[in-house]
């Protein structure tokens, strides 16, 4: 299958629209200087590929990795300039950038942009003839050390708007940009190479994981353990040999290097080379700062207004995934958002709901996102996928595998309660809205063992480990004990079991009748389900089954 056919298939499967444009260089196009491939010059002809209806176009080099949402970039004010771009990392070295400005005839202090990412105002591009100027410079016979990047800086002199560094985080500055959206592998070795640029193995693994979900998964060379060790040693050597250079980059682009746990998210015990989490002692210190920890379910049983006033100011509120079900404005208290992982990464990430959820947490008391996984098939999402929010990670797979029915998966609320119990925290743990009941608005999915979880919570409440509105009132068992104070608990439990058995038999008889009555409706539903396009999760499961066979 040729590349165009692969792209066409990829479009259909993912519901997107990628066009492959045939391009041939004019015969008078010169060769590039240095290590750059001639294909880099193709961007000098972008104006010839822009349709009349286009308003803005974002150009990205082939060695760009998007780890966040680029939509906000299209709304950036360019202040009447033709393009928006990010300063090249050389801006951190005044002597070098000054010499470059003089060589290219740029105004002192004008800056020098990296041409791997730039946003174009199409109307200004058409009116200004900037790319035609660039092509004339290319054909002039002049020698430019950085080829068309130098040329573009000359052509757009005074007509480019500086963008925030997160829109083009180049190799040398990756450790210093906390809210990266577009990672740019500007070094000689790329993430698809057998050996990656020093210190960039974590980002290369993210690149490889993303590419593995496409028809081009074989494009990445797999690195052996020996190769990874060699790259690590090489990175250490380069850091030691370029200490002064690193200090200058650090001073210009960031006050301090990103902590390891934030730069490489995930689990220390999962065997991953990308993800790292806090230890138990660090988590205890984190949670024990608060008097109460309130776990907030996305449920109709929750009273959000009462919840805000019921607890003291040093309470930590823990929200889960789709908080728009229970919040209608920004939450003012201390809070974290639990983002549950699935096969495709954090659910709010692969469903593209990050911005929709985070808009409810604009207070400076918001501590960040806690991405959790509870099963081997669940995967963390990288820091950049959460659009600039602080991200924490907790791998609960081992804990849950030993304490949950194997044919079901736990709810996020259960996983958090089990984990906090394991940590033996000092704050009072409160469950808010944990009804476990189906309603007209919200479904209760059968992938969870609700009976097991309700029993677990009930036992914790009886031991005083958790509290909730549901458990504040006497249970049926407690009420029966009051009526029959002389009865043994076994006698009361036997009577309860007998009553439940009779009611269950009656319920099953009714359910059998409903199954018979809805036979044709269920057949129609199955037919519609088969006709619908498969979800990304279903396609991923199909690929896994195919690979396993």
């Amino acid at each position: 299958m040729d590349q165009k056919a692969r792209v066409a298939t990829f479009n259909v499967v993912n519901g997107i629209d990628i066009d492959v444009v045939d391009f041939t260089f004019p015969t008078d196009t010169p060769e590039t200087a240095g290590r750059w491939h001639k294909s880099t010059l193709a961007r000098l002809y972008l104006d010839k590929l822009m349709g009349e209806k286009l308003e803005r176009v974002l150009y990205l080099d082939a060695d760009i990795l998007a780890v966040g949402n680029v939509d906000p970039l299209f709304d950036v004010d360019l202040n009447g300039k033709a393009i928006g771009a990010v300063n090249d990392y050389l801006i951190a070295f005044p002597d070098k950038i000054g010499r470059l400005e003089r060589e290219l005839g740029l105004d002192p202090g004008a800056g020098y942009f990296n041409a791997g990412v730039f946003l174009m105002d199409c109307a200004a591009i058409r009116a200004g003839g900037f790319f035609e100027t660039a092509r004339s410079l290319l054909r002039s016979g002049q020698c430019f050390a950085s080829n068309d990047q130098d040329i573009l800086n000359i052509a757009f002199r005074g007509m480019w708007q500086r963008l925030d560094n997160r829109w083009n985080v180049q190799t040398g500055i990756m450790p210093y940009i906390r809210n990266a959206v577009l990672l740019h592998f500007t070094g000689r070795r790329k993430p698809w190479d057998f050996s990656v640029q020093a210190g960039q193995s974590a980002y290369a693994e993210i690149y490889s994981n993303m590419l593995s979900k496409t028809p081009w998964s074989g494009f990445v060379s797999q690195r052996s353990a020996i190769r990874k060790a060699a790259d690590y040693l090489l990175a250490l050597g380069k850091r030691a040999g370029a200490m002064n250079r690193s200090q200058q980059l650090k001073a210009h682009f960031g006050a301090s290097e990103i902590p390891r746990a934030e730069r490489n998210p995930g689990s220390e015990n999962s065997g991953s080379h990308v993800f790292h989490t806090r230890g138990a002692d660090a988590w205890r210190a984190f949670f024990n700062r608060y008097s109460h920890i309130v776990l907030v379910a996305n449920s109709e049983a929750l009273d959000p207004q009462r919840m805000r006033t019921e607890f003291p100011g040093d309470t930590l509120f823990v929200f889960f995934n789709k908080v728009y079900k229970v919040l209608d404005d920004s939450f003012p208290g201390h809070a974290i958002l639990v983002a549950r992982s699935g096969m495709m990464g954090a659910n709010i990430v692969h469903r593209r709901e990050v911005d929709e959820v985070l808009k409810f947490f604009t207070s400076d008391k918001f501590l960040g996102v806690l991405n959790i996984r509870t099963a081997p098939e669940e995967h963390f999402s990288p820091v950049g996928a959460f659009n600039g929010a602080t991200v924490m990670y907790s791998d609960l797979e081992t804990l849950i595998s030993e304490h949950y029915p194997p044919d079901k998966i736990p709810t996020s609320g259960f996983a958090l309660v089990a984990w906090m119990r394991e940590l033996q925290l000092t704050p009072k743990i409160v469950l808010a809205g944990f009804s476990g009941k189906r309603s007209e608005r919200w479904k209760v999915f059968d992938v969870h063992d609700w009976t097991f979880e309700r029993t677990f919570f009930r036992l914790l409440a009886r031991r005083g480990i958790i509290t909730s509105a549901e458990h504040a009132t006497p249970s049926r068992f407690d009420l029966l004990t009051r009526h029959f104070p002389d009865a043994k608990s076994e006698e009361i439990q036997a009577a309860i079991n007998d009553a439940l058995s009779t009611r269950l038999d009656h319920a099953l008889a009714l359910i059998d009748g409903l199954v018979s009555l809805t036979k044709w409706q269920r057949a129609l539903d199955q037919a519609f389900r088969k006709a619908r396009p498969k979800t990304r999760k279903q396609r991923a499961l199909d690929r896994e089954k195919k690979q396993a066979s």
Side-chain angles (χ1 to χ4, degrees):
M1 184 185 294
D2 64 18
Q3 294 299 340
K4 281 192 175 181
R6 285 189 176 188
V7 171
T9 302
F10 188 74
N11 286 347
V12 172
V13 170
N14 292 278
I16 58 178
D17 191 12
I18 300 175
D19 289 332
V20 179
V21 179
D22 291 321
F23 178 80
T24 302
F25 282 105
T27 54
D28 60 347
T29 305
E31 294 297 324
T32 51
R35 62 184 173 89
W36 288 273
H37 192 274
K38 186 175 181 178
S39 59
T40 189
L41 301 178
R43 57 186 161 192
L44 298 185
Y45 298 83
L46 284 171
D47 59 331
K48 295 185 176 296
L49 303 175
M50 294 189 306
E52 289 296 320
K53 295 182 179 180
L54 291 176
E55 296 179 359
R56 286 192 168 188
V57 172
L58 176 63
Y59 169 81
L60 302 177
D61 267 355
D63 54 357
I64 298 289
L65 172 63
V67 293
N69 185 8
V70 299
D71 288 349
L73 179 55
F74 285 89
D75 297 324
V76 169
D77 186 0
L78 295 182
N79 294 311
K81 305 297 175 62
I83 64 170
V86 174
N87 268 319
D88 192 271
Y89 78 96
L90 288 177
I91 201 73
F93 304 91
D95 291 341
K96 291 183 179 180
I97 203 70
R99 183 168 62 250
L100 189 58
E101 288 172 346
R102 290 190 296 273
E103 290 174 355
L104 300 180
L106 304 177
D107 295 333
Y112 177 85
F113 64 83
N114 181 280
V117 177
F118 54 88
L119 178 68
M120 294 178 280
D121 182 319
C122 297
I125 292 291
R126 296 186 191 101
F130 303 101
F131 283 102
E132 183 56 47
T133 299
R135 291 190 289 271
S136 297
L137 287 168
L138 178 66
R139 295 189 294 266
S140 69
Q142 291 180 255
C143 182
F144 298 97
S146 293
N147 294 291
D148 59 322
Q149 180 164 287
D150 287 350
I151 290 172
L152 288 169
N153 270 274
I154 297 172
F156 287 95
R157 178 171 41 202
M159 284 302 293
W160 66 279
Q161 173 67 34
R162 288 184 181 84
L163 300 178
D164 188 271
N165 291 314
R166 66 195 175 113
W167 299 114
N168 185 354
V169 184
Q170 298 142 62
T171 293
I173 65 175
M174 284 181 186
Y176 315 116
I177 307 300
R178 293 178 180 268
N179 55 348
V181 177
L182 297 172
L183 300 177
H184 188 184
F185 297 88
T186 50
R188 290 177 180 272
R189 286 173 289 164
K190 305 300 182 182
W192 56 80
D193 287 338
F194 184 76
S195 177
V196 296
Q197 188 78 9
Q200 305 308 316
S201 59
Y203 302 112
E205 292 225 22
I206 296 173
Y207 183 96
S208 179
N209 289 338
M210 289 185 178
L211 199 65
S212 68
K213 299 176 176 65
T214 75
W216 298 275
S217 56
F219 189 67
V220 176
S221 302
Q222 298 301 315
R223 296 187 302 145
S224 65
I226 295 176
R227 180 69 261 174
K228 290 177 181 178
D231 285 339
Y232 178 74
L233 293 174
L234 181 61
L236 290 178
K238 286 204 170 188
R239 283 187 180 181
M243 194 65 71
N244 183 58
R245 180 174 178 271
S246 297
Q247 287 175 348
Q248 285 187 259
L249 288 171
K250 186 174 182 178
H252 186 87
F253 290 102
S256 61
E257 198 168 349
I258 298 174
R260 185 181 183 193
E262 188 176 332
R263 185 172 66 247
N264 303 329
S267 169
E268 294 174 332
N269 303 316
S270 67
S272 167
H273 297 283
V274 180
F275 300 119
H276 301 276
T277 60
R278 307 177 186 215
D281 289 339
W283 280 119
R284 287 190 196 95
F286 176 83
F287 288 118
N288 285 342
R289 294 178 291 174
Y290 302 95
S291 63
H292 295 68
I293 299 176
V294 179
L295 279 66
V296 184
N298 298 323
S299 162
E300 287 182 329
L302 181 74
D303 184 345
Q305 297 304 321
R306 179 183 174 187
M307 179 188 69
R308 296 187 185 200
T309 59
E310 188 176 354
F311 300 98
D314 60 347
T315 297
L316 174 65
F317 293 88
V318 180
F319 291 88
F320 298 90
N321 300 299
K322 301 180 179 182
V323 296
Y324 48 76
K325 291 182 176 181
V326 293
L327 294 179
D328 52 18
D329 59 358
S330 181
F331 187 76
H334 300 283
I336 60 173
L337 171 68
V338 174
R340 175 65 174 273
S341 280
M343 294 181 57
M344 310 291 289
N347 292 330
I348 61 171
V349 171
H350 86 258
R351 289 173 183 158
R352 300 181 177 89
E353 294 180 329
V354 174
D355 288 334
E356 185 179 1
V357 169
L358 289 181
K359 70 181 181 182
F360 294 102
F361 301 103
T362 57
S363 167
D364 57 3
K365 294 181 180 179
F366 178 55
L367 304 177
V369 176
L370 173 59
N371 190 187
I372 66 169
R373 63 186 293 269
T374 66
E377 65 273 12
E378 296 177 358
H379 302 287
F380 287 124
S381 288
V383 170
F386 295 96
N387 299 353
T390 299
V391 186
M392 301 166 281
Y393 295 84
S394 184
D395 190 344
L396 305 179
E397 177 193 344
T398 302
L399 172 65
I400 296 302
S401 65
E402 297 173 352
H403 297 91
Y404 205 83
D407 57 336
K408 298 286 186 178
I409 61 173
T411 62
S412 299
F414 175 89
L416 263 288
V417 171
W419 179 40
M420 290 180 176
R421 181 196 181 201
E422 185 82 3
L423 291 173
Q424 299 182 346
L425 303 178
T426 57
K428 188 174 183 179
I429 299 174
V430 182
L431 305 187
F434 278 64
S435 68
K437 298 176 183 177
R438 179 183 295 274
S439 71
E440 293 184 5
R441 292 182 64 196
W442 312 129
K443 292 190 290 186
V444 176
F445 294 100
D446 62 359
V447 296
H448 310 302
D449 192 325
W450 295 100
T451 301
F452 176 82
E453 295 196 10
R454 306 317 298 169
T455 305
F456 179 81
F457 292 151
R458 178 71 66 179
L459 289 170
L460 290 181
R462 291 176 73 89
R463 286 162 172 76
I465 298 174
I466 64 171
T467 61
S468 73
E470 180 188 6
H471 302 129
T473 57
S475 68
R476 289 171 175 79
F477 188 92
D478 294 332
L479 292 172
L480 287 168
T481 302
R482 293 179 188 177
H483 280 289
F484 302 95
D486 58 335
K488 294 181 179 180
S489 60
E490 294 85 352
E491 182 183 356
I492 295 176
Q493 190 61 60
I496 291 174
N497 291 344
D498 187 49
L500 287 175
S501 177
T502 302
R503 290 184 59 79
L504 182 60
D505 286 341
H506 179 65
L508 289 174
L510 292 175
I511 291 170
D512 286 341
L514 289 172
V515 168
S516 298
L517 286 172
T518 59
K519 183 177 180 179
W520 67 271
Q521 289 143 311
R522 287 182 289 108
L524 190 62
D525 179 67
Q526 288 298 318
F528 278 122
R529 287 177 182 272
K530 290 180 180 179
R532 283 190 308 189
K534 291 184 177 180
T535 64
R536 285 182 293 169
K537 184 176 181 179
Q538 289 170 330
R539 293 195 295 269
L541 286 170
D542 289 344
R543 285 196 297 269
E544 285 192 358
K545 290 179 181 177
K546 188 175 181 180
Q547 291 170 357
S549 60

